[in-house]
Amino acid sequence: MDNAIRAGRSQREGVQQDPRLDWWRDAKFGMFIHWGLYAIPAGIWKGAEIPGIGEWIMYRAQIPVREYEQLAKEFNPVQFDAAQWVSLAKRAGQKYMVITAKHHDGFCLFDSKVTDYDVVDATPFGRDILKELAAECQRQGMRLGFYYSQTQDWHHPDGDGNSWDYDESQKDFAGYVENYVKPQVRELLSHYGPVCLIWFDTPKGMTAPQSRSLVELVHELQPECLVCGRVGNDMGDYASAGDNQIPAAAVALDWETPATINDTWGYKSYDHNWKSVPDLVHKLVDIVSKGGNYLLNVGPTAEGVIPLPSVERLLAMGAWLEANGEAVYGTRPGPVQGLAWCRTTQKDGCIYLHVFEWPADGALRVPGLAGRVSAAYLLTDLARLLQVGAAADDLLVQGPAVAPDPTDTVVVLRV
Ligand code: FHN
């Protein structure tokens, strides 16, 4: 097992067996949304650029609760349009969306009865973001999951992480889990229709009984709802790689890589380090070829706008997937692994050879596949068969001299 991914027995035993994960195994590509009060400072506090990821600004700048929570009075994202967000995910080829119901700063994007520190009670906006998103996901046929920070809560006096306002030794963490986390998880799974997954995060000191009771609560309320492995103690329905981590080789687990398009999750006005479209497509295909899912993040602004560089990249990925999705969705890792110039996926009697670096003469040489392939053609040109031969164990396929798709040309190998 690659050391980028930790997984418990339940996950190892569940691989390819638990039918509740069938849709997720086929989906491959999801949209992560980190959105909250941190979008207002957008990485800058009292004139200073605060290093690190945007949603951690309260922690990094040690902003007192009483100061930070004033941001709620400014939260008025009048440009938020659930229909547009869901439509963007669809056009990007993403099959599920996961949004921060509550991140570490404790602010809730839903109307919670156990706190007033939420978008309905504490902001001029006053609309339940999750309700609108859930309704729109239903309308457009998109699965919706919720990120929920179960351990870190820098606003709650008994939550983990805030030692600048609260005395850690006085905290009743167990009470916080029982009387705050669980009621909120119950709300999330009772008021927003079918929830495809709960994305717990940073378990830290959660005990095994605490993690188990959260998994059980989720499954009791919505048996089909998946639980991300970051619930802690090697539990949950699927494993999570580290942030932006891609294992070096295929992993025989149900696993997912959460990843950023630039370097932050929550919006930062001055993070312009956007990954290129070819890089993002390669990451998606690399992950899928190793059996994982790619949960790619957007960080909307305080006005409710997904930054244009993210939109442009997602739409370009969607265009690539529109032409090549057959070689991604519903596939499993292909038989050829470990080559720099290509990746392979497979399904239904086809091996999909994803060529990242097209050879100058168009002559493709694939180790180990000699004698196994009956026909080869480009996924985007089904009518024209490519010439197939063999040299020792290698399959030889003669493609066009110029790369048909400089990002990733998919050659279908019928076996
Ligand atoms: O601390 C969080 C971070 O803010 C972000 O939510 C990522 C997403 O995977 N998870 C945690 C760090 O791993």
Side-chain angles (χ1 to χ4, degrees):
M1 185 172 63
D2 190 277
N3 60 12
I5 297 178
R6 300 189 60 231
R9 207 163 61 95
S10 59
Q11 288 156 1
R12 289 200 298 273
E13 288 175 352
V15 172
Q16 310 294 334
Q17 284 168 23
D18 185 346
R20 295 183 311 121
L21 279 89
D22 283 350
W23 70 267
W24 185 87
R25 290 185 190 114
D26 290 347
K28 306 301 181 194
F29 190 28
M31 175 183 278
F32 215 173
I33 304 173
H34 275 69
W35 200 33
L37 298 182
Y38 38 80
I40 298 172
I44 299 175
W45 193 252
K46 296 189 173 162
E49 291 189 358
I50 307 299
I53 41 186
E55 71 283 5
W56 272 70
I57 193 167
M58 180 179 178
Y59 185 96
R60 292 271 153 74
Q62 306 262 291
I63 304 170
V65 164
R66 297 297 159 237
E67 243 180 273
Y68 187 86
E69 65 186 4
Q70 298 304 314
L71 290 170
K73 297 186 181 148
E74 291 173 48
F75 191 71
N76 195 20
V78 289
Q79 294 189 58
F80 167 64
D81 180 346
Q84 266 184 26
W85 287 16
V86 179
S87 156
L88 173 64
K90 288 195 85 164
R91 285 182 294 156
Q94 295 169 315
K95 305 296 185 190
Y96 57 111
M97 298 172 78
V98 182
I99 185 167
T100 46
K102 182 190 85 156
H103 202 266
H104 309 332
D105 68 352
F107 180 72
C108 303
L109 282 187
F110 63 105
D111 188 15
S112 175
K113 296 301 168 221
V114 290
T115 182
D116 283 341
Y117 195 45
D118 68 50
V119 65
V120 172
D121 297 316
T123 78
F125 191 57
R127 285 157 46 188
D128 186 328
I129 303 280
L130 300 196
K131 244 254 132 107
E132 295 187 20
L133 211 50
E136 200 51 50
C137 282
Q138 286 279 339
R139 205 175 67 75
Q140 296 194 41
M142 172 68 73
R143 291 179 196 264
L144 179 64
F146 297 137
Y147 173 108
Y148 186 87
S149 176
Q150 79 277 28
T151 304
Q152 298 197 68
D153 189 320
W154 307 325
H155 183 264
H156 194 292
D158 294 316
D160 178 280
N162 182 342
S163 56
W164 57 98
D165 282 292
Y166 309 120
D167 178 351
E168 295 280 1
S169 69
Q170 297 301 310
K171 285 183 180 175
D172 174 14
F173 182 72
Y176 153 80
V177 172
E178 284 308 312
N179 305 318
Y180 194 76
V181 171
K182 288 187 184 172
Q184 288 207 319
V185 169
R186 192 171 277 282
E187 290 178 323
L188 290 171
L189 290 159
S190 305
H191 303 151
Y192 299 92
V195 177
C196 71
L197 58 86
I198 299 283
W199 218 95
F200 292 111
D201 199 5
T202 62
K204 298 180 76 179
M206 292 277 289
T207 64
Q210 283 169 336
S211 297
R212 186 172 306 109
S213 66
L214 283 182
V215 173
E216 285 171 359
L217 178 63
V218 172
H219 289 163
E220 170 203 319
L221 294 167
Q222 294 203 22
E224 297 297 312
C225 182
L226 306 180
V227 175
C228 169
R230 294 194 187 188
V231 70
N233 295 291
D234 292 343
M235 293 179 201
D237 291 310
Y238 64 88
S240 182
D243 296 348
N244 290 301
Q245 298 297 307
I246 303 180
V251 181
L253 286 172
D254 294 309
W255 64 274
E256 175 187 68
T257 291
T260 51
I261 300 189
N262 48 357
D263 291 331
T264 184
W265 305 87
Y267 178 68
K268 272 179 88 169
S269 56
Y270 53 94
D271 180 341
H272 305 299
N273 194 23
W274 303 100
K275 295 173 184 71
S276 70
V277 172
D279 187 18
L280 292 165
V281 170
H282 286 180
K283 285 183 163 66
L284 168 66
V285 171
D286 188 23
I287 288 167
V288 172
S289 77
K290 293 167 179 166
N293 279 13
Y294 193 31
L295 185 62
L296 188 57
N297 184 73
V298 295
T301 67
E303 292 73 37
V305 175
I306 296 178
L308 188 58
S310 292
V311 173
E312 290 168 345
R313 283 158 181 77
L314 289 171
L315 292 178
M317 292 180 83
W320 184 87
L321 280 162
E322 180 70 28
N324 298 286
E326 181 189 318
V328 172
Y329 304 117
T331 62
R332 299 293 175 261
V336 181
Q337 297 277 334
L339 299 179
W341 60 273
C342 72
R343 299 290 183 277
T344 58
T345 56
Q346 61 182 332
K347 73 175 174 202
D348 302 337
C350 290
I351 295 169
Y352 300 99
L353 180 69
H354 297 257
V355 185
F356 291 179
E357 294 161 38
W358 194 260
D361 53 3
L364 303 162
R365 191 172 181 130
V366 194
L369 292 185
R372 282 190 61 194
V373 170
S374 58
Y377 48 89
L378 302 180
L379 182 56
T380 51
D381 188 359
L382 308 185
R384 191 158 2 131
L385 286 182
L386 304 177
Q387 201 184 343
V388 174
D393 281 348
D394 296 353
L395 168 77
L396 304 178
V397 179
Q398 184 56 55
V402 179
D405 180 340
T407 299
D408 173 2
T409 302
V410 178
V411 180
V412 185
L413 307 173
R414 286 229 154 254
V415 292

